[in-house]
Amino acid sequence: HRTHLAPGATVLLYTDGLVERRSVALLDGLTALREQVARLAHLPLEDLCDALVASRAADQEDDIAVLALRLPHDGAPPT
């Protein structure tokens, strides 16, 4: 698949440990992640990833891995 990303767009890749919980439906976990990323989108990538993992790791039994990429804004250095 291919898609065009806008300047400043962030791509987040993650393992299921970030969104899956035994007592929570997968769709609810995905929705919660999407909302959290929207609230934290202004952070530098390292801080964004750290915040996502920290908020989910306390009650998680599965491994979590996160990879993020942010496109630079036109003419701006990447964060």
Side-chain angles (χ1 to χ4, degrees):
H1 298 281
R2 292 181 185 201
T3 189
H4 291 277
L5 299 171
T10 300
V11 176
L12 185 69
L13 305 172
Y14 53 89
T15 59
D16 61 345
L18 193 63
V19 295
E20 288 185 348
R21 301 288 178 279
R22 291 179 193 236
S23 61
V24 178
L26 179 58
L27 184 57
D28 292 341
L30 291 168
T31 299
L33 176 62
R34 196 170 22 254
E35 291 170 353
Q36 184 178 23
V37 169
R39 285 190 308 274
L40 302 175
H42 66 282
L43 294 176
L45 284 182
E46 185 174 351
D47 295 341
L48 171 65
C49 292
D50 287 346
L52 293 175
V53 171
S55 71
R56 306 275 181 188
D59 63 345
Q60 184 53 282
E61 299 172 6
D62 197 1
D63 292 339
I64 297 174
V66 178
L67 175 66
L69 167 80
R70 181 171 292 150
L71 277 67
H73 290 279
D74 292 332
T79 58

